Amino acid sequence: MSAVEETPDGPVEVIQVLFALHPGFGAQELCGPLEILSKAHHKINDPKTKAFECTFAAPSQGVTSSSGLTIKADIDLSTAHEDLGEYDVLIIPGGDGVDAVLKNESEPLGLIKAFAKLQISDPSKERTLMSIGTGSLLLAQTGILQGLSATTHPDYYTKMEIICKDAARRGELEQTDVMEENYVVNNARFELGEKLEENPFVLSKRPDGRRKSIARKGSNAWKESVKRRESNARRASLRLGGLRLITSGGITSGLDASLYLVAAMVSHESAQEVARVMQYTWNKGVTVEGIDPKKIKFASLGLVVLDEIHFPAKATQRDVLGGSGSYDKRFHYVTPVLGVKPEHFRGTPLLDSLAFHLLAEPEEAMDTIRDLLQLRTRSGIHHRPLIIWEPRPSSCIPSNLTSFYRAMAMVDVFSPNHIELGACFGYSFVQGVDLELVESLATEILESGFPEWSSRLRGDQSSRAWQSGGCFLYLGLELGVPRFYQSTMRDDTGVVQPHPKVVDPTGAGNAFLGGYAIALQETPDFVKAA
């Protein structure tokens, strides 16, 4: 299918572009990139050296955008699959129809997967996959963004994070760094230079201030790069076989990303000329490196160091790591608690953890979460972590319920034990546990305390382990889990004795939450994770 333009200097191969359209696509998300690519030439002002040839593929002969524009398809999707190897670039516009594609798991999801697999199986050819606006949600759904960085329309950052998180659980468990950027490029094809920190198009850790974009030459000429043996070897070593993957934000971001594509595959001068003709100012995005799959998966801000614990009938324990609880542990704090703050993670791998646990009062929890997320952003970490909140027992009083609800809206998992839960509503479980009441109160919290959850698709769980077992609720589905060990047992003579494996339940809840946080990163089944 590759077209060849004849020029006085010999043939110039035209880069083949396939637009995969779906019902309800965004008209401007198609027309903007199309206009830019159609104006690009290998030689500026020489119409005989056009750089791109564009083809439209759709599920029907005519496909209509969300604004009513109908486009006649050049080929149907079955033909697109058959001829996919002939295309150098696949572009996925977003639009209102994206939701239907996600819901029905329909095309172009299959085409996206096939294009990515084609590059992995044959890295000898330079291929590019680019999404415009919410088209990146479709890339995320296929799972190909795992271990990479991406962006989308700003109104859909949260939805993008959730789709990427679900895809990671289904796939290789690698996270996607959802960045608030104009456009994001993975697997760039140009010389990085010896000093990466001086290259404005490479981003491994985002600085406090945005780097100023400067002009640069594009990659080695596209025609040459597909022949270079070293390029082939480099591609094969990269994720997705070196597939250049570009995601962009809104409509104008799609223009910027398209200009980047022209610069990368044709020349920087060509991109500048297209922008001049269109009287458009090119706003640069960023080129990033992939995410380290060996990230720290869990970090706790909820542990404290206890110098000494004095028991009435036991030896003193010293230098103990622990949390806290409101049942009778027969000790009290005599010196200020030494806790962990987000600032303590600055400059360490812990700041980039995939999940965080904190033990705090409601107002303290909100402040800590804000500080943590702001510090991560300033440090160039843009993906949102899983956040688990365990309330400080002394704050569990009815007058704090409003503050509790506000704090709950900022977390993914809220985890009081049964005594702390009851205390929030004025109940006492010191003398015994009423599991029906525990489940009832937990349900009330889910139904009354998380109005934002259903719309944000975040924070949908209330769970806890305690000395009498556990209760786990997920949007109304209840799961009661009996305790693994009883506190007492009968010996061989029938005498009731303390269970040898149960010394003190201190830390059982923290241990459960740590394991639960890891499990949630490995399975979408919340019951299995619990």
Side-chain angles (χ1 to χ4, degrees):
M1 179 183 291
S2 296
V4 176
E5 295 285 345
E6 293 290 340
T7 71
D9 297 328
V12 177
E13 195 164 3
V14 179
I15 302 167
Q16 296 297 321
V17 180
L18 179 63
F19 282 87
L21 305 181
H22 54 82
F25 70 91
Q28 294 188 70
E29 291 168 279
L30 164 65
C31 296
L34 177 64
E35 186 70 13
I36 285 176
L37 298 182
S38 66
K39 293 184 180 300
H41 297 88
H42 287 289
K43 291 187 176 181
I44 297 175
N45 298 325
D46 185 351
K48 293 182 179 181
T49 62
K50 72 174 184 178
F52 299 92
E53 180 83 23
C54 297
T55 301
F56 302 138
S60 58
Q61 186 175 7
V63 59
T64 303
S65 74
S66 56
S67 58
L69 174 68
T70 298
I71 296 293
K72 180 181 178 181
D74 297 310
I75 58 175
D76 59 25
L77 291 175
S78 61
T79 302
H81 275 278
E82 293 174 3
D83 297 341
L84 198 56
E86 300 294 329
Y87 294 97
D88 308 293
V89 181
L90 174 62
I91 298 180
I92 309 296
D96 294 345
V98 163
D99 286 339
V101 174
L102 292 173
K103 179 179 179 181
N104 300 323
E105 297 186 355
S106 55
E107 291 286 6
L109 295 179
L111 202 63
I112 294 170
K113 292 179 183 177
F115 194 70
K117 289 181 179 178
L118 188 61
Q119 181 67 32
I120 295 173
S121 62
D122 177 23
S124 63
K125 183 173 182 177
E126 180 177 339
R127 297 180 179 88
T128 300
L129 173 59
M130 183 168 75
S131 66
I132 312 297
T134 54
S136 57
L137 301 181
L138 303 182
L139 273 59
Q141 180 68 20
T142 66
I144 66 171
L145 296 182
Q146 291 182 67
L148 300 175
S149 299
T151 191
T152 189
H153 189 284
D155 290 348
Y156 292 83
Y157 287 148
T158 297
K159 186 170 185 176
M160 177 84 159
E161 289 175 341
I162 293 165
I163 294 176
C164 289
K165 182 187 295 184
D166 290 341
R169 293 172 184 167
R170 297 193 307 267
E172 301 298 323
L173 307 181
E174 295 184 65
Q175 302 298 311
T176 302
D177 190 352
V178 179
M179 306 180 71
E180 299 179 6
E181 295 291 347
N182 193 27
Y183 61 81
V184 176
V185 184
N186 296 271
N187 293 341
R189 201 74 70 239
F190 60 87
E191 293 301 323
L192 302 182
E194 295 182 359
K195 297 182 179 181
L196 295 183
E197 66 276 8
E198 296 180 1
N199 191 316
F201 284 85
V202 176
L203 179 66
S204 56
K205 288 188 177 180
R206 186 164 180 75
D208 291 338
R210 186 176 180 82
R211 302 185 196 184
K212 182 179 180 181
S213 295
I214 62 173
R216 67 160 180 84
K217 292 288 184 180
S219 62
N220 292 318
W222 174 77
K223 184 172 64 174
E224 296 178 2
S225 71
V226 296
K227 297 178 180 178
R228 289 177 56 202
R229 185 171 301 172
E230 60 268 30
S231 292
N232 297 343
R234 179 173 181 262
R235 288 191 202 111
S237 67
L238 296 173
R239 292 177 185 272
L240 302 177
L243 176 69
R244 180 192 286 111
L245 198 148
I246 307 172
T247 54
S248 67
I251 293 171
T252 56
S253 297
L255 299 177
D256 296 322
S258 299
L259 287 168
Y260 173 90
L261 185 62
V262 173
M265 301 193 73
V266 185
S267 70
H268 192 268
E269 289 80 5
S270 181
Q272 288 180 314
E273 175 63 13
V274 172
R276 185 196 67 80
V277 171
M278 295 179 64
Q279 290 188 301
Y280 180 76
T281 300
W282 179 13
N283 298 302
K284 306 290 178 64
V286 294
T287 301
V288 301
E289 297 175 350
I291 299 175
D292 182 0
K294 298 181 180 179
K295 281 183 179 291
I296 293 175
K297 294 187 175 183
F298 180 79
S300 179
L301 290 154
L303 294 179
V304 298
V305 177
L306 307 179
D307 294 328
E308 296 181 352
I309 303 179
H310 297 269
F311 295 94
K314 297 181 182 179
T316 298
Q317 295 185 18
R318 293 181 172 84
D319 299 325
V320 179
L321 275 176
S324 65
S326 57
Y327 63 92
D328 183 12
K329 291 181 178 171
R330 301 180 184 276
F331 68 82
H332 61 276
Y333 301 116
V334 295
T335 56
V337 174
L338 177 60
V340 183
K341 303 295 182 183
E343 184 64 27
H344 296 151
F345 290 168
R346 181 189 293 272
T348 75
L350 291 171
L351 184 61
D352 201 11
S353 174
L354 299 178
F356 288 92
H357 159 262
L358 60 151
L359 171 66
E361 297 180 0
E363 297 293 338
E364 179 187 4
M366 289 186 281
D367 290 340
T368 299
I369 293 169
R370 292 190 193 100
D371 291 346
L372 175 65
L373 297 182
Q374 290 174 3
L375 180 58
R376 284 166 60 93
T377 299
R378 290 196 301 269
S379 301
I381 304 169
H382 298 275
H383 61 89
R384 190 185 190 282
L386 178 76
I387 297 178
I388 299 174
W389 174 37
E390 184 181 347
R392 194 177 300 282
S394 59
S395 67
C396 297
I397 54 178
S399 60
N400 274 346
L401 265 181
T402 299
S403 296
F404 265 87
Y405 290 152
R406 290 169 53 216
M408 290 173 198
M410 299 178 67
V411 306
D412 300 283
V413 178
F414 173 56
S415 183
N417 66 25
H418 64 298
I419 297 177
E420 294 156 356
L421 177 63
C424 287
F425 292 90
Y427 292 97
S428 174
F429 291 120
V430 175
Q431 302 302 321
V433 180
D434 183 340
L435 290 180
E436 290 187 2
L437 181 56
V438 169
E439 293 177 357
S440 174
L441 296 179
T443 301
E444 183 172 342
I445 281 184
L446 285 177
E447 294 178 349
S448 303
F450 303 115
E452 297 89 346
W453 281 5
S454 59
S455 60
R456 294 175 62 218
L457 297 179
R458 279 199 179 284
D460 46 17
Q461 301 152 14
S462 176
S463 59
R464 186 60 173 168
W466 57 74
Q467 65 265 39
S468 297
C471 174
F472 185 93
L473 281 84
Y474 177 90
L475 293 181
L477 177 60
E478 301 174 3
L479 172 66
V481 182
R483 54 187 172 188
F484 193 79
Y485 289 116
Q486 301 295 321
S487 59
T488 60
M489 61 175 291
R490 293 185 182 276
D491 62 18
D492 294 338
T493 63
V495 178
V496 176
Q497 300 281 357
H499 199 293
K501 293 186 178 295
V502 178
V503 179
D504 189 295
T506 301
N510 288 13
F512 164 75
L513 289 176
Y516 178 57
I518 300 300
L520 273 180
Q521 298 170 35
E522 299 178 354
T523 175
D525 187 335
F526 64 89
V527 176
K528 183 178 180 181

